[in-house]
Amino acid sequence: MDRRTFLHSTSAPLGAAALASLLPERAAAGSPGAPMPQAPRSDIVVIGGGAFGAWTALSLREMGHTVTLVDVYGPGNSRATSGDETRQVRVGYGEREGYARMAHRAMDAWRAREAEFGIPLLVTTGRLEIAPDWTPALRATQSMLARFGVATEAFTADDLRRRYPQMGFDGIGVGLLEPGAGVVRAKQAILAAADAFRRKGGTLTIQRAAPGRAEGGRLVDLALADGSRLAAQQFVFACGPWLPKVFPELLGRRIHVPKRDVLYFGVPAGDTRFAPPALPNFSESAYYGFPSIDGRGVKVCPTNGPDNWDPDTDERMVDPMQVRRARAYLARRFPALAAQPITETRVCQLENTDDEHFIVDRHPAYANVLIAGGGSGHAFKHGPVLGEYVARRAVGDATDPAFDAMVRLAR
Ligand SMILES: Cc1cc2nc3c(=O)[nH]c(=O)nc-3n(C[C@H](O)[C@H](O)[C@H](O)COP(=O)(O)OP(=O)(O)OC[C@H]3O[C@@H](n4cnc5c(N)ncnc54)[C@H](O)[C@@H]3O)c2cc1C
């Protein structure tokens, strides 16, 4: 029975004995022919419970597989890139049609999951992109959204000043609004997806995992930090910014991990001009941000920061230089906020590939290991659809070949 047949035959969870009889015979590393020590077995293990892993684990479980999700600090933890409070959802993607299509599907998927989970995850805010003039990327976004039937509004500088009097438009000539875009409560969404995974019969393990023993071009098990082993037929490594640590030779130079400071500025007392629906998400070359959601303050994110961030050990303190830069930006774009106090800060990290495409591909040394990551600052919005995509790749189901090629390792 090949891997594909095996996985399809497990659409209903198998008993441990039946499952064991389907697993290949194996020998312990270092002692050929010796029986493997007993270890719990699972069809598929997903390592990492962020936007990639939590949704993949849930999708696999919903497809009927026996799934264990392993996360070193727990899904939605504050070190994870997906553990921040909020993330933007939008369809506009410049010329990158593959991601625009996925983001478009994700909008419906988010609403369906929000209804299923019974908690408010989405806030529709709109997204306003501003620039000195029309750029090819802005034009591409406008025409792509038109093709997908997604509403947009285009503005001149005068339109912008009339529509958003709380903003300053110094140096800005045009704007493009995607009114259906919004913000998802990110940490809540990951916690809810992990909770649904458990309720539907998935197993969650809080442990650091590393690739364990290998045999015949396949990974046999994981080595967990407590000294135990976890064997499976398939493994999905969705370790976000930790991927270069897990596979240093393969990914150490392919995924970079820069720090990002996220600042929330208070709004003046009794002032509703900086919350939705008055203010949308805003974006321009060096900054982007969100209106005040849940009374948190206006979120401002400078799009630079030091490289080589360590998500395990580095302290999550914002750089005073970024505060000064953000205040200078506010003075220009949101003059009423320039002297407001900071109400919250977050420190996050990216897991960037050089071309900002994700990586979803087989590990070249292990036929049963799928790597899923390289979110490059834009994966969260795709979560519910991305998880289904990665799940299908993990079990060998058909997917879109053009998208597969875009996210392959060797590119
Ligand atoms: C400041 C900022 C703003 C962003 N804004 C947006 C946005 O508006 N919209 C958008 O779509 N995207 C946005 N992104 C990108 C998005 O957040 C990421 O692409 C996405 O969250 C990455 O998810 P992930 O699952 O790859 O990684 P993570 O969320 O980091 O998850 C990895 C998980 O793996 C676990 N783990 C790691 N190593 C191990 C191990 N050895 N064993 C067990 N578990 C392990 C970790 O604990 C963690 O939970 C933004 C990113 C940043 C930094």
Side-chain angles (χ1 to χ4, degrees), residues 48 51-52 71-72 77 81-82 87-88 209 241 288 349 377 379-381:
F52 278 87
D71 195 294
V72 54
N77 73 80
T81 312
S82 309
R87 288 287 181 258
Q88 176 165 250
Y288 69 93
Q349 69 279 309
F380 198 92
K381 68 179 71 58

Side-chain angles (χ1 to χ4, degrees), residues 175-189:
L176 183 68
L177 179 73
E178 182 185 328
V183 168
V184 61
R185 294 182 177 90
K187 188 187 275 280
Q188 292 304 318

Side-chain angles (χ1 to χ4, degrees), residues 87-92 103-104 106-108 110-111 114 121-129 141 145 149-153 155 163-164 176-184 276-277 279-281 381:
R87 288 287 181 258
Q88 176 165 250
V89 288
R90 63 180 153 100
V91 181
H104 191 212
M107 285 293 200
D108 289 338
W110 277 113
R111 284 189 199 97
E114 184 181 47
L121 292 178
L122 289 169
V123 183
T124 302
T125 53
R127 174 182 186 257
L128 177 67
E129 191 166 352
T141 295
L145 290 176
V150 175
T152 56
E153 284 179 63
F155 300 119
R163 178 79 170 251
Y164 303 108
L176 183 68
L177 179 73
E178 182 185 328
V183 168
V184 61
L279 185 69
N281 301 351
K381 68 179 71 58

Side-chain angles (χ1 to χ4, degrees), residues 241-276:
W242 285 264
L243 277 171
K245 287 189 179 190
V246 178
F247 298 113
E249 280 185 23
L250 184 67
L251 298 174
R253 296 160 82 96
R254 279 193 166 98
I255 295 179
H256 313 282
V257 183
K259 178 194 185 206
R260 284 292 180 269
D261 290 344
V262 178
L263 310 164
Y264 293 84
F265 288 89
V267 301
D271 194 337
T272 57
R273 293 175 300 160
F274 299 98

Side-chain angles (χ1 to χ4, degrees), residues 53-185:
W55 289 109
T56 298
L58 178 57
S59 292
L60 285 165
R61 183 63 208 127
E62 288 173 344
M63 289 158 75
H65 299 290
T66 304
V67 186
T68 299
L69 174 61
V70 184
D71 195 294
V72 54
Y73 302 114
N77 73 80
S78 292
R79 285 173 167 107
T81 312
S82 309
D84 202 350
E85 296 301 329
T86 47
R87 288 287 181 258
Q88 176 165 250
V89 288
R90 63 180 153 100
V91 181
Y93 244 100
E95 285 154 0
R96 297 190 154 185
E97 184 170 352
Y99 294 110
R101 185 171 294 114
M102 188 178 262
H104 191 212
R105 282 187 55 213
M107 285 293 200
D108 289 338
W110 277 113
R111 284 189 199 97
R113 289 298 190 179
E114 184 181 47
E116 177 196 336
F117 297 161
I119 51 170
L121 292 178
L122 289 169
V123 183
T124 302
T125 53
R127 174 182 186 257
L128 177 67
E129 191 166 352
I130 53 178
D133 206 346
W134 286 99
T135 59
L138 209 48
R139 285 267 183 237
T141 295
Q142 190 183 31
S143 58
M144 186 101 62
L145 290 176
R147 253 192 298 140
F148 287 158
V150 175
T152 56
E153 284 179 63
F155 300 119
T156 63
D158 284 345
D159 298 335
L160 287 167
R161 275 189 279 274
R162 270 193 299 275
R163 178 79 170 251
Y164 303 108
Q166 71 277 50
M167 291 181 73
F169 290 102
D170 176 30
I172 296 299
V174 297
L176 183 68
L177 179 73
E178 182 185 328
V183 168
V184 61
R185 294 182 177 90

